[in-house]
Amino acid sequence: MEAKFELYDVWQGTQDGSGYAKHRIPGMLVTERGTLIIYNEARDEGSDWARMDIFCQRSTDGGRSFGEPIYLAHGNETHKTVNNPVMMQDQRGRIHLLHCEDYGVNGGKILRRYSDDDGLTWSEPIDITPATMPWFRNCMAFGPGHGICTKDGTILTPMWMIPKFYESPERAHGPSVVSTFYSRDNGETWAVGEILGSNFSLQSPNESVAALLPDGRVYLNCRCANSWRAKAISLNGYSDWSEYTPEKNLIDPKCFGSVAAYHAEGKPDVLLFANCESKTQRKNVVVKGSLDQGRTWPLRRVIDADRGGYVEINADPRSGNIYVLYENNFGETDHLAVFNYEWLEAGEG
């Protein structure tokens, strides 16, 4: 197969006629039918506490075009901030959306909705706040990015939260710890997994994404307060984490980056990673591939050397498409790269 690479503009802030100043915190889900769903915080201004809405858009042609926005949450006078949407799909085909109101403080709830028709229509929101340990934490958020389903049917997404014992202001976003939020009964009940905090080489871990390795283990990749990423590995995705160590070969400007598993027919199993490859600037969007479950990253290509921000990655095993959705200038514009394994394999190294 020939190498393929395409780049599209998906959200353009006030330039796209939506009326939103920023489209931030991008996430993507590739459904079992091959539909690409993208979602975001559509903000009236740049602040993390801005008035915002959450909407998704669906593409059935590999990212070349998208349908009209499907609204999933609206900020209002009581809770103007509706934040950190994350989607995942269970083994039955139900898609689950999790998000927060006001990061779970100021009376804000943690909510779940679900779709049984490939993301076209959604249930009413369901309050799952008690499962998120409000007695333990102040602010919290999911992901961002996307969640996963393990081989035994557990659905999960990483989460970060600010423990009350740090005595930070209630609305502070640090210092933080990370965990996973998981369900073993297709979303009926949820729980917080084992918590990972700071250690001598990793400070204030926060925004994280998980990927399913070929042997069924769960690989966790984390942003932290250092200029590199962190990783951890679990047999089930919610307990007994091991190899919780810095990934100093994955430099990072303290920004959101993402991982995804690639299991396409006729291709090697690849662990994909995408972020802004810089210690200081949110630009230089790069995708890397590991053929040994995250030990080394021999595959590398630059997607956008001049722009960047939060970077989300996902893949479709049916079409072989790899998708990278990324911000520029804190969500003033957002862009979608679509490419295949052959393009990545032919990279710079």
Side-chain angles (χ1 to χ4, degrees):
M1 185 180 294
E2 293 184 358
K4 177 186 77 171
F5 179 88
E6 298 164 337
L7 186 63
Y8 305 102
D9 297 335
V10 289
W11 299 311
Q12 298 296 300
T14 53
Q15 303 172 45
D16 63 11
S18 67
Y20 298 107
K22 305 278 188 176
H23 294 281
R24 292 230 51 210
I25 323 300
M28 289 189 292
L29 177 73
V30 180
T31 75
E32 62 180 17
R33 300 183 192 177
T35 301
L36 173 63
I37 304 178
I38 61 175
Y39 42 93
N40 74 111
E41 296 177 359
R43 300 183 180 184
D44 286 353
E45 58 174 320
S47 168
D48 287 342
W49 295 90
R51 200 216 69 82
M52 60 185 75
D53 299 323
I54 294 172
F55 70 77
C56 69
Q57 291 177 266
R58 301 170 69 254
S59 174
T60 57
D61 59 8
R64 289 185 291 273
S65 65
F66 286 88
E68 291 298 310
I70 299 170
Y71 281 87
L72 302 168
H74 291 280
N76 54 43
E77 291 185 3
T78 304
H79 300 294
K80 66 179 182 178
T81 299
V82 287
N83 60 284
N84 283 66
V86 170
M87 290 187 188
M88 67 210 78
Q89 188 167 30
D90 65 32
Q91 290 181 334
R92 302 174 305 175
R94 173 171 284 182
I95 300 171
H96 303 262
L97 166 77
L98 306 178
H99 76 86
C100 309
E101 295 175 333
D102 286 345
Y103 294 91
V105 298
N106 304 329
K109 297 176 182 178
I110 311 301
L111 299 169
R112 175 176 76 94
R113 300 181 75 175
Y114 61 84
S115 171
D116 290 324
D117 57 7
D118 205 46
L120 285 167
T121 63
W122 294 82
S123 72
E124 291 300 309
I126 302 163
D127 185 359
I128 56 171
T129 308
T132 65
M133 297 172 56
W135 53 268
F136 172 82
R137 50 89 185 157
N138 288 327
C139 280
M140 65 147 286
F142 298 114
H146 60 275
I148 63 171
C149 182
T150 68
K151 291 184 176 181
D152 72 356
T154 300
I155 51 175
L156 64 89
T157 177
M159 64 184 293
W160 60 263
M161 51 189 169
I162 313 304
K164 291 181 182 293
F165 60 70
Y166 283 141
E167 299 183 350
S168 300
E170 186 180 48
R171 287 161 53 108
H173 285 187
S176 53
V177 298
V178 296
S179 185
T180 52
F181 192 64
Y182 69 97
S183 173
R184 301 189 65 192
D185 55 10
N186 297 305
E188 295 303 314
T189 60
W190 296 82
V192 176
E194 179 183 338
I195 293 171
L196 299 174
S198 299
N199 61 33
F200 67 94
S201 58
L202 297 172
Q203 299 301 311
S204 197
N206 49 83
E207 296 169 328
S208 306
V209 184
L212 191 64
L213 297 175
D215 61 8
R217 294 180 301 160
V218 174
Y219 173 95
L220 186 69
N221 188 283
C222 309
R223 171 184 174 177
C224 53
N226 310 90
S227 296
W228 53 75
R229 308 292 296 183
K231 73 169 185 181
I233 295 177
S234 168
L235 291 176
N236 56 29
Y238 52 85
S239 66
D240 298 320
W241 292 97
S242 64
E243 301 180 44
Y244 181 43
T245 55
E247 285 276 68
K248 293 187 178 181
N249 56 340
L250 299 179
I251 64 171
D252 189 73
K254 303 174 187 176
C255 188
F256 174 66
S258 186
V259 291
Y262 181 80
H263 304 299
E265 184 177 356
K267 304 295 189 298
D269 289 323
V270 185
L271 178 63
L272 299 168
F273 170 75
N275 80 326
C276 292
E277 191 183 59
S278 169
K279 289 185 177 181
T280 59
Q281 295 182 292
R282 292 187 175 189
K283 68 177 186 178
N284 195 33
V285 177
V286 170
V287 59
K288 296 181 179 180
S290 174
L291 304 174
D292 55 11
Q293 304 186 54
R295 297 180 185 88
T296 61
W297 302 86
L299 305 177
R300 175 186 179 275
R301 290 215 73 169
V302 176
I303 292 174
D304 194 327
D306 300 317
R307 299 180 293 188
Y310 276 39
V311 181
E312 160 76 324
I313 191 168
N314 219 322
D316 181 5
R318 291 150 292 266
S319 67
N321 283 345
I322 300 169
Y323 302 103
V324 173
L325 179 62
Y326 63 98
E327 303 172 338
N328 180 55
N329 198 21
F330 292 92
E332 284 191 359
T333 62
D334 290 75
H335 313 280
L336 176 69
V338 184
F339 53 93
N340 58 11
Y341 175 77
E342 286 75 11
W343 182 83
L344 175 59
E345 186 182 38
E348 303 93 346

